[in-house]
Amino acid sequence: MTGRMRIRRVLEQGSVGSDVTVAGWARSVRSGKGVTFIALNDGSCLGGIQIVVGPELHNFEAVARLGTGSSLSVAGKLVESPAVGQRFELVAATVTVYQDATPDYPLQKKRHSFEYLRSIAHLRPRTNTFGALFRLRSFLSQAIHQFFGERGFLCVHTPIITGNDCEGAGELFRVTTLDPAALSRAPGGVDYSADFFGRATGLTVSGQLEGELFALAFGDIYTFGPTFRAENSNTPRHAAEFWMIEPEMAFADLAADAALAEEFFRYLCRRVLEECAEDMEFFTAHLDRGLMERIGKVAGTKFQIMEYGDAIVQLQRAKVPFVYPVKWGVDLQTEHERYLTEQVADGPLFVVNYPREIKAFYMRGNDDGRTVAAMDLLVPKVGEIIGGSQREERSDLLQCRMVEMGIPPEGLWWYLDSRRWGSCPHAGFGLGFERLIMYLTGMENIRDVIPFPRTPRHAEF
Ligand code: 4AD
Ligand code: MG
């Protein structure tokens, strides 16, 4: 399309009387006496532009009958809009129709339920809500690279196919080229030496272990990539495929880790408020009335920190009937996390120094012998959004821990090597990208913040 301008640019930079060409999809077509109005949207902004089509056009009749969802381009002149809330209308000189959408186009109504829209995930990006959402997702992903780029962090692409189960939770999706029928019949277990990689492999649950190796060469690094977990939890917060941002810093302890997490989180809050105002206002009006105010507050205030032990005391004192009982040593459930961040802290809250039994093998043992230098950042409505720790950099303690947890050291010889030569204190964390988007938009289900969600029994699109 020669000279096509994105509608967002037309609205921001256009001037009355100028000639422009735009192209997009009709959100609505209203025909009156001798004039037709088309609300045209090209995905570049929420509102789109109103097209005014008069009877002098040779294809006026056909244009007046166009269905919602039709694709077209329009060349014409910008005029001042008499309607409030929009700067210009485009008076069409020519309208080129690419395809007239038939009345069975599923997005006829103004409002559809999120459940229904999930069943047409191939079309939902054309709605206001998902348009705003995926614009925000794209913006955030660039802002994240910018944040680390500006601070001298090296971007490292850690492998997607891997032999290690970093979190040790046994949630690896298997990757194999072995014949599935032969797999199930294999006597005495599967012989992975005959497999593609000559060993058992799966999809990564975290880029952390490889990230650590790079931190011990480049100082400050981060990964931002797809992450896979075969955990069979059908909750609004878990996806089998999600994206994670994992920075790792050499010569850093837990306090430095929390400081980076806080700076990062507040930076992202500020950027979306400043640069995605139109979409953020939409989320505030339609998904969560308190959204912008809450995020504005978070951008401007220091986060609180609480010891795990104190969190347990707070929960035991709470006059709330939790489903999962609380005592020292239990892992926090979402109901506990939300109570702490919503009722106790009334804002983001770091919980630090968890019992070693409930955390991964790589976390640094504290001097008390029973906790590790772990931190989770909890936020209202979502619960855990960041998980991180200072790493066990002492080779002997790390090996003991692996033996205790039944992790064969042979499989991680390369990781253990990083503790042999030039080991140093280091720390990092993982931010779940989808949970971040849920937090920043008020969207309550993880299935509605990722283009094509993968959850138990769902991988259709
Ligand atoms: O707490 P997690 O499991 O930590 C790690 O994977 C560490 N290796 C990170 C690190 O220290 N480099 O996961 C980190 C975050 C969680 O806080 C959560 O936001 C998100 O990843 N997350 C999920 N998001 C969506 N669906 C799931 N199934 C998720 N599991 C974790
Ligand atoms: Mg965690």
Side-chain angles (χ1 to χ4, degrees), residues 166-167 205-206 208 229 231 237-239 242 244 246 362 384-388 391 428-430 432 435 446:
C166 171
E167 297 305 305
V205 297
S206 162
Q208 179 194 319
R229 294 194 185 174
E231 59 187 319
R237 266 167 280 277
H238 288 89
F242 61 100
M244 186 155 54
E246 294 183 277
Y362 52 71
E384 178 193 340
I385 198 160
I386 283 179
R391 318 308 186 187
F429 63 82
R435 293 202 188 163
I446 197 162

Side-chain angles (χ1 to χ4, degrees), residues 180-208:
L183 275 182
S184 61
R185 277 187 269 106
V190 180
D191 176 16
Y192 285 106
S193 66
D195 203 349
F196 189 91
F197 296 105
R199 54 169 301 150
T201 53
L203 297 176
T204 184
V205 297
S206 162
Q208 179 194 319

